[in-house]
Structures are given as structure tokens and as C-alpha cells.
Amino acid sequence: MSAESPLHEKTPLHASAEPYTDEQLAQLHADADAIVARYPQKRSALLPMLHLIQSVDGYITGRGVTFCAEKLDLTDAEVSGVATFYTQYKRHPNGDYTIGVCTNTLCAIMGGDQIFDELSEHLGIGHDETTPDGRITLERVECNAACDYAPVVMANWEFFDYMTPEATKQVADDLRAGKDVRPSRGPNKVCTFKQVSRTLAGFSDGLADEGVGAGPASLEGLKVAKQHNWTAPGSAQDVDSDDQATAEAGGRQPQPGEPHSGAEGHGTAESAKGDN
């Protein structure tokens, strides 16, 4: 880590000095066409297409920006504006594995700050910096949305729960050594940054059903709700009850694609206003 600044210098996007190979370009066009086909407007495909670029280049390159712009009828400036706004899009080469240590309030007081400090010293890098071998990029993360497992660490957005400094350093060492590392939840091993970027672009990796989906802490509330027969407002059970009440009052049951009783009544009132 530079003594002049605790953060990685925010470099501009790299120029497109080296074009894609014919093979890369053919695959990019095929994948981009599949992405664009999901949206009614081409420009809406930009976010997943930027992930697609990262799945090939490992970060957002100048040539990737130009490809997206030409494919979506945008300017390079429009694409660059989006690519530099979101932190999940990288402006400089990223490691094979991004380790994000949560240092938000709960994780911090449970040990997250200590985990980050010790891992930073262990790897010899700071926030948004990458080890010389290109294997690990370290990030200080605001929240991993898993407070019930604090302190939480993520590797390429896979969860590692109830972590300690030593356990986190071991995960980093194993990933650098090329070993298969299994997260607390999710697939059986952590995939590389490029592999995960392709999944984020909307292409299935076939791993959705691997491993544990939700841990015991996350399911505790659901278990209590079932024990007390609690349901959320607006749940399917409530909607069915509303429709049954409408039928008993002599009203017409909504047909497939029509709003249910509450929304139907609102629509009728709006129609009446329009008639006046």
C-alpha cells in the first residue's frame, strides 16, 4: 500500500490499445445479443453488459466501453459514466478473488475492523489493492447484508460467516494457492472473479442449487412465524380471503390477469371519476 494514500489511485479507464481477437469478438457479440434481447430498450442492457466485459477482461477496459457503446447505440461517455459510478465495476485489473471484509457497525464491533487490519497486513495491501501475484483484491465493505452471521467476510460475493482474523487469512492463503475453498453458504467452492462476472451478466453457472441456501439464523424468524401461523400482509392467503369475501357478497371473481378485489374497486372509482 502506498505511503502517500491509503486508497488505490482511481485511475482512468484504460485506453483500447489492444483490440479483441476475432474469437473474443464473436463470443461477445453472441452474448451481448442474448442480453439485449431481454430488454424492451437496448440501453437497459448496459449493466449486465459491463459485467460481461469484466468476465472477459477482468475489469472495465476502454475497448470494453467502446464495445458496449457501439452495441447499445450509446456514447463512450455515457458508458464510462455508468462504469465509473458503481464500485462493482473495476477501473483497474482486479484479482482472481475479491475478499470483502464487512466493517459496518455490527460486524465492526464483532471483530470486522480487526479482521481487515490483520488481513491487510498479512497480504501487504490496502483497500482496493491487489496482491502482486494478481490473486487477491482486498476491499473494505460497508455491509454484506448478513448481520445475523457477524462478522462476515465475502470472497467474490460468497459468504463466510462468523469469521476470525486467522480463519480469514487461511481463506486468502488457500485461494492464492489455488485450492478449492467452500463458503459457509452457496456453491461448493468460490468461483473466480471472471466466472462470477459472467453469472452477474445473466448467464447461469449451474450452481444455484449447490450448498446451503439459508443458514439457521436466517430461518429462525420463519420458523417462529409458522409456529404461530403468522402471515405477512398482502400474502397469498390474504388475497384468497379477500376474493372469497367478494364472492360471498355477490361480487365477480377477478379473472386471470385482472387486479384482485381491493385494486379492482380502486380502478372502478377512477373510472367513475373519468366519466364525470
Side-chain angles (χ1 to χ4, degrees):
M1 180 173 61
S2 171
E4 299 176 0
S5 172
L7 302 180
H8 191 291
E9 181 183 358
K10 294 301 181 185
T11 56
L13 295 171
H14 291 224
S16 304
E18 182 180 346
Y20 290 112
T21 66
D22 291 342
E23 183 179 358
Q24 286 177 320
L25 204 55
Q27 187 63 55
L28 276 171
H29 276 296
D31 290 338
D33 288 342
I35 293 173
V36 170
R38 304 174 194 152
Y39 299 92
Q41 296 186 36
K42 291 172 66 173
R43 66 184 299 134
S44 300
L46 179 55
L47 294 182
M49 277 191 56
L50 288 171
H51 285 299
L52 179 66
I53 295 301
Q54 293 198 139
S55 76
V56 176
D57 291 340
Y59 64 107
I60 302 300
T61 55
R63 65 182 185 177
V65 167
T66 299
F67 175 84
C68 290
E70 292 176 350
K71 199 71 178 177
L72 301 178
D73 297 331
L74 299 171
T75 65
D76 282 15
E78 288 174 313
V79 176
S80 297
V82 173
T84 56
F85 183 84
Y86 296 102
T87 58
Q88 210 167 17
Y89 300 127
K90 308 302 181 180
R91 304 185 195 184
H92 47 79
N94 199 75
D96 295 325
Y97 300 94
T98 297
I99 295 183
V101 181
C102 183
T103 55
N104 210 331
T105 307
L106 183 57
C107 280
I109 64 176
M110 296 293 286
D113 284 336
Q114 183 180 354
I115 290 174
F116 182 88
D117 291 343
E118 291 197 25
L119 183 60
S120 176
E121 182 178 358
H122 179 70
L123 296 175
I125 56 176
H127 169 72
D128 199 27
E129 293 186 340
T130 302
T131 53
D133 59 7
R135 297 292 281 172
I136 303 292
T137 293
L138 178 62
E139 288 185 341
R140 183 188 294 275
V141 181
E142 275 301 301
C143 183
N144 280 327
C147 305
D148 39 354
Y149 299 101
V152 176
V153 172
M154 297 193 88
N156 286 350
W157 303 288
E158 299 295 352
F159 289 103
F160 289 82
D161 305 330
Y162 305 125
M163 294 299 282
T164 65
E166 290 305 318
T168 306
K169 285 184 278 188
Q170 187 63 57
V171 167
D173 289 345
D174 287 345
L175 289 172
R176 293 184 78 180
K179 297 180 181 179
D180 288 345
V181 177
R182 184 167 192 163
S184 300
R185 290 168 280 142
N188 293 331
K189 70 173 184 177
V190 177
C191 295
T192 67
F193 181 79
K194 287 185 177 181
Q195 290 171 330
V196 172
S197 294
R198 183 168 177 81
T199 303
L200 291 172
F203 298 95
S204 174
D205 58 9
L207 305 178
D209 295 325
E210 276 192 5
V212 176
S218 299
L219 298 174
E220 189 63 28
L222 181 62
K223 183 173 72 174
V224 172
K226 287 183 176 180
Q227 289 173 348
H228 293 81
N229 197 31
W230 294 338
T231 57
S235 65
Q237 180 175 325
D238 290 338
V239 171
D240 290 342
S241 298
D242 289 344
D243 290 343
Q244 182 62 34
T246 300
E248 292 174 355
R252 185 175 69 88
Q253 284 279 21
Q255 301 302 306
E258 290 184 341
H260 288 277
S261 52
E264 185 179 33
H266 178 74
T268 303
E270 293 299 318
S271 298
K273 291 178 184 178
D275 291 339
N276 293 333

